[in-house]
Amino acid sequence: MIDEMTTVLEPSPLPDFVETKYVKDITNRALSYIKAGFPVHFRGVSGTGKTTLAMHIASKIERPVVMIHGDEEFTTSDLVGGEYGYRIRKVVDRFISRVLKTEEDMVKRWVDNRLTVACKYGFTLIYDEFTRSRPEANNILLSILQEKMMDLPVGRGGEEPYLRVDPNFTAIFTSNPEEYAGVHRSQDALRDRMITMDLDHFDYETEVAITQAKSKLSKSYAEIIVNIIRGLRESGKCEFAPTVRGCIMIAKTLKVQGITPAGNNGAFMQICQDILASETSRVGSKTNQNRVKEIVKELVEKHNVSKSKTIESRSKKTEEAYV
Ligand SMILES: Nc1ncnc2c1ncn2[C@@H]1O[C@H](COP(=O)(O)OP(=O)(O)OP(=O)(O)O)[C@@H](O)[C@H]1O
Ligand SMILES: [Mg+2]
């Protein structure tokens, strides 16, 4: 039985998920590697869609999903399981019911953790940010991925010390190669057992589609926002490149406040500067924030003016067509 401590997710399609040519292409390639029997690893900087893609692919596999987030503090038993607490067995002597005789004994209880559950039942494992865990904790994965065998600590409730991995078991990994405290270089042996797909920021079509889907703004407004963010990204002048999350934040704020990005709009400028200056700088980095605000100002002026002109002329043409 699966312990209540392990959360197993239903493989269901994600809300507002967009499937552009770019997304479909990566999905199909990943699914073909999985079909050939290999684990897939999405590697890319923040906001390149790694976690979302892993979940999307898991939903296509149509097996229950278990998810693990890499953690510096992880030990192998966090992944595999261990003896947790005590289970109290109570024996009530029903024959002498008046003399309520209870016998309690304490039994250490083995609890399978997520990795064991996924291997045992052939579920799909998503190991998000796996390089955040220490390599020693991840060593258990080597034989799982290669020999399809899982070594379990002895004393596991009298069960075999190893587990044959169910053939339906699939593993999808994600990692962020950016250098920051807490990320261990992924072990070479582990990386050699998976197919790594390097992800970059989304292409234009996908970035617009995601911005639109998440905010419900019109396509032309989503395009203005995406153009500004891509301009800032391509300027190469940010500490951290702005991501699709910046597009989503701006678009949702506009939607809620009923502000349009078209025309000479001070409120739109303010929202873009607030969101993008903070997204692309470390806390307290004032110089960088001010520089980003300057670039954003130029980009907002360039894009919403030129775009709103085309929107205006388009609507004029439409009006003319009705005259
Ligand atoms: N195909 C898609 N359809 C709709 N939204 C998407 C799609 N892909 C990504 N997103 C959205 O883009 C944002 C970034 O995606 P995600 O969280 O998957 O990136 P990530 O690479 O895992 O980032 P991090 O490294 O910061 O965890 C999220 O808000 C996510 O909902
Ligand atoms: Mg992620």
Side-chain angles (χ1 to χ4, degrees), residues 16-18 46-52 202 210 214 244-245 248:
D16 304 325
F17 186 82
V18 302
S46 260
T48 46
K50 304 177 293 292
T51 308
T52 312
F202 291 105
I210 293 175
K214 295 276 174 188
V244 71
R245 291 203 182 96
I248 298 171

Side-chain angles (χ1 to χ4, degrees), residues 8 10 17 62 73 108 114 133 149 173 200 267 272 292:
V8 178
E10 280 297 313
F17 186 82
E62 293 184 329
E73 301 289 307
K108 268 202 168 178
R114 294 171 193 200
S133 307
M149 211 59 119
F173 297 86
D200 205 342
C272 288
V292 170

Side-chain angles (χ1 to χ4, degrees), residues 65-273:
V65 179
V66 292
M67 199 152 179
I68 301 175
H69 295 276
D71 190 315
E72 174 86 12
E73 301 289 307
F74 258 179
T75 60
T76 303
S77 70
D78 290 315
L79 297 171
V80 173
E83 287 180 322
Y84 290 89
Y86 289 94
R87 178 175 59 191
I88 301 174
R89 277 203 304 222
K90 212 169 189 179
V91 183
V92 180
D93 193 332
R94 297 191 190 283
F95 293 102
I96 329 166
S97 55
R98 283 174 194 225
V99 189
L100 196 65
K101 182 185 159 217
T102 63
E103 247 178 55
E104 284 182 14
D105 69 43
M106 312 274 259
V107 178
K108 268 202 168 178
R109 192 170 67 132
W110 172 274
V111 176
D112 280 345
N113 271 356
R114 294 171 193 200
L115 184 58
T116 312
V117 168
C119 288
K120 203 190 246 179
Y121 299 98
F123 293 169
T124 302
L125 168 79
I126 298 178
Y127 194 166
D128 205 26
E129 310 278 5
F130 81 101
T131 47
R132 284 192 186 177
S133 307
R134 285 195 306 270
E136 311 86 83
N138 285 339
N139 267 342
I140 180 90
L141 283 157
L142 295 173
S143 64
I144 295 178
L145 301 183
Q146 190 73 59
E147 287 83 25
K148 313 283 181 228
M149 211 59 119
M150 183 174 186
D151 292 317
L152 288 163
V154 279
R156 184 173 142 263
E159 287 187 57
E160 292 284 332
Y162 63 85
L163 177 84
R164 203 175 290 278
V165 176
D166 184 283
N168 284 316
F169 170 78
T170 306
I172 306 170
F173 297 86
T174 82
S175 77
N176 188 329
E178 274 172 335
E179 294 272 60
Y180 54 86
V183 173
H184 300 277
R185 289 175 63 221
S186 71
Q187 288 155 281
D188 292 340
L190 198 50
R191 206 200 42 225
D192 200 29
R193 285 163 167 76
M194 43 178 94
I195 293 180
T196 298
M197 296 176 76
D198 281 306
L199 300 184
D200 205 342
H201 291 288
F202 291 105
D203 68 346
Y204 184 74
E205 185 201 7
T206 312
E207 204 155 26
V208 170
I210 293 175
T211 306
Q212 226 190 318
K214 295 276 174 188
S215 66
K216 316 290 178 230
L217 276 187
S218 70
K219 186 174 178 200
S220 51
Y221 288 167
E223 280 173 344
I224 296 179
I225 298 167
V226 169
N227 282 328
I228 292 166
I229 272 146
R230 291 176 85 87
L232 181 61
R233 194 181 290 150
E234 280 150 25
S235 76
K237 296 209 171 109
C238 302
E239 261 180 282
F240 304 101
T243 74
V244 71
R245 291 203 182 96
C247 300
I248 298 171
M249 284 179 199
I250 294 172
K252 278 190 167 172
T253 309
L254 294 186
K255 183 74 183 177
V256 167
Q257 304 213 354
I259 296 167
T260 69
N264 188 11
N265 191 330
F268 175 57
M269 174 79 79
Q270 188 74 64
I271 292 166
C272 288
Q273 287 183 324

Side-chain angles (χ1 to χ4, degrees), residues 19-36:
E19 278 193 277
T20 54
K21 189 179 165 299
Y22 173 88
V23 174
K24 275 189 195 150
D25 175 55
I26 298 173
T27 306
N28 291 341
R29 273 154 60 207
L31 283 170
S32 68
Y33 298 140
I34 288 169
K35 204 169 165 202

